Amino acid sequence: MRLESQDEYMHELGSEPNFNESMYFNLYDPSQRIGGFWRLGNRANEGYAEMTACLYLPDGRVAFMFGRPPIADNDAFDAAGMRFEVIRPFEELHVSYHGRVVLLERPLEMADPKAAFTNNPQVDCRVALTFTNASTAFGGEPEQPREPTGEEFARGHYEQLIGGEGTVTVDDQTWEVRGFGLRDHSWGPRFWQAPWYYRWLTANFGPSFGIMASRIARREGRGARGGFVWDGTVMQLADDLEIKTSWAGDDSYHDSIEAVLRSRDREWRLRGKVVSLIPLRNRREGMVTRISEGLTEWCLDDGRVGYGWSEYLDQIVDGRPVGIDE
């Protein structure tokens, strides 16, 4: 894997029609029970960016906005009121957003985005957050492609545990937040329909312990399982992941999770309970992809409690998520 300071900045726009460069940040403040995630994905060859702002408020409501603002190049992460800035590579970054959000009393209504945006109020939102590194970075760009042609999801990709602090304002309420989360950065060709399904688990247990676990399933073949554990000093790599999921509701959203992440000589057991979930949707060429974003409370075997996200992507076939049987 190649990973250099320059990879924190924008990459040359590739020739692939579906070239995507994206950054994502999540953050949760357990003292105030508020958190969220922010993403910008530049798809300059298709003429637009994907912008997502999502805040899970202490009273159970979710403030959400998605947009596809027009862009003509891949020069910056700056679209639809959201901006990401690299202050010091791998050490300090800034996230800001100024725009509208829809306030959802019932976040599951976002399964029908048109109805959700029509039937719920929209209010102003401001976010100004500074993120600093809590771990070293994991990942990079491999020397040889690792994904089958047509199933590419990112040529380069890395992740990092982070701490974050700043202000969040939704309508007439403002919070001074301080917590922990995870960020990622990827570039290369991407269709959301490329994986058959995936499970992406992120968990922070304070400033010196965190976990990322990933299961990517392909239409054919074994796919991939793995992740990392950061113990405050060393990044321990895992090459196997076992997941058991309990599902809820007629639409089968993930509700609780048991996960075992394994390296050659160690294993880590996680139990997760989804606190709040919002389903997002992407459609292309007749395929429907659901990305369920679950704010999750995690518990380790030793009793430590942490927070993060469980992101479940599934292709939906005959009204059913294809990965429900794992």
Side-chain angles (χ1 to χ4, degrees), residues 203-205 209 211 257-259 268-273 296-308:
N204 294 79
F205 298 84
F209 193 87
I211 292 175
I257 305 159
E258 295 181 15
W268 298 267
R269 293 181 176 270
L270 280 168
R271 287 177 286 110
K273 177 64 178 176
T296 305
E297 182 179 84
W298 297 103
C299 185
L300 296 171
D301 275 354
D302 61 12
R304 279 181 289 177
V305 174
Y307 295 88

Side-chain angles (χ1 to χ4, degrees), residues 169-210:
T169 299
V170 178
D171 199 11
D172 58 355
Q173 287 186 279
T174 297
W175 294 267
E176 297 289 335
V177 299
R178 177 176 292 181
F180 298 95
L182 179 141
R183 60 179 287 250
D184 82 351
H185 184 190
S186 62
W187 58 94
R190 169 175 293 190
F191 284 133
W192 292 103
Q193 290 68 36
W196 193 224
Y197 62 90
Y198 73 59
R199 313 295 182 231
W200 187 41
L201 315 179
T202 69
N204 294 79
F205 298 84
S208 58
F209 193 87

Side-chain angles (χ1 to χ4, degrees), residues 56 108 198-201 243-249 251-258 272-279 290-296 298 308-314 321 323-324 326:
Y56 299 70
L108 294 183
Y198 73 59
R199 313 295 182 231
W200 187 41
L201 315 179
I243 296 181
K244 294 181 180 179
T245 304
S246 296
W247 304 83
D251 292 325
S252 300
Y253 296 113
H254 67 283
D255 179 66
S256 59
I257 305 159
E258 295 181 15
K273 177 64 178 176
V274 174
V275 177
S276 179
L277 183 145
I278 181 170
R290 188 179 78 187
I291 309 166
S292 298
E293 302 281 3
L295 170 62
T296 305
W298 297 103
W309 268 261
S310 51
E311 182 176 282
Y312 275 42
L313 178 148
D314 287 89
I324 195 171
E326 175 165 355

